[in-house]
Amino acid sequence: MDYTVIWFILIVVLFTGFFFLEGFDYGVGTLMPFISKRDDERTAIIRTIGPVWDGNEVWMITAGGALFAAFPHVYATMFSAFYLALFLMLVALILRGVAFEFRAHTPCACGRQAWDAAICFGSAVPAFLWGVAVTDLLAGLPIGANMAYQGTFFDLLTPYSVLGGLTFLFVFGYHGAAFLTLRLKDAGLILRVQSLGLRMAACGTFAFVLWAVYTYQATTLFQSPLAAVLLAGAGLFFVMSGLSFSIAKGKASFMLTSLSIVCTTVAVFAGLFPRLMVSSLNPAWSLTIANASSSPYTLSIMTVAALVLVPIVLIYQGWCWYIFRKRVGIGDEEKH
């Protein structure tokens, strides 16, 4: 197999892992202020992701690093195209990370409420912007023959991309609700999570169907049989997850919504292959795994490094999840 194909697959794996793991992180942070007004309950909700949220973000950093090393032209064009969007995302993520750390050290209730708002903002904005970015990649961007982005920030915000952003926001919100039902102890809190989660599932289903129809009309994704089957499977899994959630089967609903996110991510890349960025000005100017890759020698060295290091990272993260596998209850932090 060609090295460019290997690294395309590896980038798909990294982004799939990122959306699966960070998806429920974003969902938990987004829903937290709407689930409860009580400080102790909000603390319990935050503690469900406290030990793992920063590890989950490593998948994004690794995916960006792999993209930079394997397909530097794509990295350069993508970051120039999404420069302002990425800046807004970075600000939101910084606020979110700071809020996680400083909330527990703030004595006054009003201060903790401000940090809670920062967590919500820092979770919802990246979720929305990732949906916008993925949708724009499918629809195509004004990329010239010199691989340079020729649009503005507002060219990224179309009705289609905004719909994609809302779809990601609702799906991640529901993903977070399903995760919380597996991690919380208190029955009353879980019931409120289920109530809000059902509403997010309904909104997510409606938005996903509209997004899929729009994708069929506005992109070439469905020209790939694999992408079409995966996207149809993603929709089916999401509906099945919502039905499972409605009868309080938390583990099944979380597994099904995870499958839906995985299938959607793989479908997007399968629909793009062998392209990584589509030019809306001229299809011949699209960035592909052939014209945007590093040299074969560079890719061969990186492949050896990835084969050694990726399993170590996976083992460590699996161990971390095993250590923090127990449910979280209200007031547990005081007992310890």
Side-chain angles (χ1 to χ4, degrees):
M1 186 182 293
D2 189 83
Y3 281 123
T4 56
V5 177
I6 292 174
W7 276 91
F8 180 88
I9 294 173
L10 181 58
I11 287 171
V12 174
V13 171
L14 291 171
F15 274 107
T16 301
F18 168 67
F19 286 134
F20 159 59
L21 293 171
E22 195 66 8
F24 64 74
D25 271 8
Y26 289 155
V28 170
T30 301
L31 296 184
M32 181 262 295
F34 305 100
I35 295 172
S36 175
K37 302 297 182 182
R38 288 175 47 184
D39 181 74
D40 55 347
E41 291 183 340
R42 288 186 175 186
T43 300
I45 292 170
I46 292 172
R47 289 186 66 245
T48 62
I49 58 173
V52 296
W53 70 268
D54 48 356
N56 294 344
E57 294 225 352
V58 170
W59 286 77
M60 177 180 66
I61 298 170
T62 306
L67 193 65
F68 170 74
F71 304 103
H73 296 296
V74 174
Y75 182 91
T77 304
M78 187 178 295
F79 273 68
S80 62
F82 295 111
Y83 183 84
L84 185 54
L86 289 171
F87 174 78
L88 293 174
M89 185 183 296
L90 182 61
V91 170
L93 291 174
I94 290 173
L95 283 174
R96 181 172 179 258
V98 170
F100 278 134
E101 298 300 326
F102 280 84
R103 183 187 186 276
H105 302 286
T106 303
C108 65
C110 59
R112 288 194 294 274
Q113 289 176 359
W115 289 125
D116 290 343
I119 292 172
C120 180
F121 175 83
S123 301
V125 169
F128 176 79
L129 290 177
W130 274 114
V132 170
V134 169
T135 305
D136 280 331
L137 290 177
L138 281 174
L141 295 166
I143 300 171
N146 58 351
M147 299 185 179
Y149 177 66
Q150 298 183 358
T152 65
F153 169 75
F154 295 101
D155 291 325
L156 303 177
L157 298 175
T158 64
Y160 178 40
S161 65
V162 171
L163 175 61
L166 291 174
T167 301
F168 271 53
L169 181 62
F170 290 138
V171 170
F172 286 164
Y174 170 68
H175 193 40
F179 174 77
L180 284 174
T181 62
L182 301 178
R183 297 286 288 119
L184 292 171
K185 284 182 182 178
D186 304 277
L189 191 54
I190 292 176
L191 285 175
R192 272 175 276 150
V193 170
Q194 290 173 334
S195 176
L196 184 57
L198 286 173
R199 281 176 275 173
M200 297 301 292
C203 292
T205 301
F206 180 71
F208 185 87
V209 171
L210 287 181
W211 181 79
V213 172
Y214 214 142
T215 298
Y216 177 78
Q217 295 176 341
T219 75
T220 61
L221 183 141
F222 283 87
Q223 292 180 9
S224 166
L226 176 60
V229 170
L230 286 170
L231 200 60
L236 178 62
F237 287 138
F238 194 79
V239 171
M240 292 172 61
S241 177
L243 294 175
S244 298
F245 197 77
S246 66
I247 56 176
K249 291 187 176 181
K251 185 176 294 186
S253 59
F254 179 75
M255 292 175 64
L256 287 166
T257 191
S258 299
L259 285 174
S260 178
I261 291 172
V262 169
C263 286
T264 301
T265 308
V266 178
V268 168
F269 281 99
L272 286 173
F273 184 82
R275 303 163 299 175
L276 284 163
M277 295 189 73
V278 179
S279 172
S280 59
L281 302 178
N282 187 337
W285 296 343
S286 298
L287 278 67
T288 69
I289 62 173
N291 66 12
S293 67
S294 297
S295 67
Y297 179 69
T298 300
L299 293 177
S300 66
I301 295 176
M302 289 167 51
T303 302
V304 174
L307 289 174
V308 174
L309 297 176
V310 170
I312 296 174
V313 174
L314 292 176
I315 291 171
Y316 170 77
Q317 190 152 28
W319 174 79
C320 183
W321 274 100
Y322 177 78
I323 293 297
F324 296 103
R325 67 190 183 279
K326 294 183 179 179
R327 288 180 178 265
V328 175
I330 298 172
D332 280 357
E333 71 280 2
E334 297 176 359
K335 298 175 185 178
H336 296 286

